[in-house]
Amino acid sequence: MVDHPDKYDYSRAKVPGPLTLEMEAKKLEKKRAQKAQRKQREQAQREERQRLEKEEEEKQLFAALSDREKRALAAERRLAEQMKNGSTALSNISRCWYCGESLLGRIPFHYLDFSFCSTACLQTHRRAQASHT
Ligand SMILES: [Zn+2]
C-alpha cells in the first residue's frame, strides 16, 4: 500500500491503512519490549524459586548437622566476622593447634578435631587436654 498507493482500491478491500515502515518498526519495538519484560519477569521468578530451593536445602543440611558441627559453624562465622572487622587477618588457618606451624603441604597428625605438625605437638596438646579434664 505504501509502495503502490494507486495500484489497488484499498478502501474496497478494507485494508485499514498504510503500514508504514515507521509503524512496523514501532510495532516491532513494542513486541521486543514486551518480550524483554516477560523475560525479566521469568528471570526474577526463576531466581526466587532458586533462592527458596537453596534455603530449603540449607535448612535440611543444617538440621542434619550434629550439635558439635553447628557449634563449629557458629564459631567459624564469629571468627570470620572478627577477621573482617579487626586487623588480624589469618590467611592460613591450617596450622598446628599447639605451635601454630603451617600445615599446608604437610600431612598433619590428628586426634579428635585437632591437627598438629608433629607427634610431639600432638602429645603435648593431648597431655594438656587430659590434665584439664
Ligand atoms: Zn606443632
Side-chain angles (χ1 to χ4, degrees):
M1 194 164 173
V2 176
D3 294 338
H4 311 282
D6 301 316
K7 198 166 178 186
Y8 305 103
D9 187 346
Y10 294 110
S11 61
R12 250 182 70 195
K14 296 207 168 75
V15 174
L19 191 63
T20 65
L21 284 176
E22 200 185 339
M23 278 168 71
E24 252 182 305
K26 255 189 193 157
K27 236 167 116 179
L28 211 69
E29 177 75 24
K30 205 175 156 192
K31 240 186 197 163
R32 214 174 279 145
Q34 279 174 341
K35 202 175 160 191
Q37 237 177 12
R38 198 169 52 233
K39 242 186 177 162
Q40 221 170 25
R41 224 175 14 244
E42 282 170 2
Q43 174 72 10
Q45 281 171 350
R46 203 162 36 236
E47 277 170 14
E48 174 67 7
R49 209 165 39 237
Q50 278 172 352
R51 200 184 62 75
L52 286 176
E53 273 171 20
K54 191 162 178 285
E55 167 63 17
E56 188 58 30
E57 208 174 293
E58 279 195 28
K59 206 165 92 185
Q60 308 225 344
L61 216 66
F62 187 84
L65 290 177
S66 70
D67 283 352
R68 204 188 69 187
E69 287 168 322
K70 284 189 187 104
R71 271 199 297 273
L73 266 183
E76 216 170 83
R77 179 61 51 83
R78 266 199 308 278
L79 190 67
E81 284 298 310
Q82 280 170 13
M83 296 288 164
K84 219 164 52 193
N85 300 331
S87 54
T88 43
L90 291 179
S91 61
N92 169 22
I93 55 161
S94 177
R95 293 180 180 280
C96 173
W97 276 60
Y98 186 68
C99 73
E101 181 69 39
S102 171
L103 296 177
L104 293 179
R106 295 171 182 252
I107 297 166
F109 298 88
H110 294 289
Y111 86 91
L112 299 179
D113 286 339
F114 313 121
S115 312
F116 301 91
C117 66
S118 63
T119 51
C121 282
L122 185 153
Q123 274 156 16
T124 313
H125 187 274
R126 181 147 50 185
R127 265 199 299 280
Q129 283 287 111
S131 67
H132 280 316
T133 54

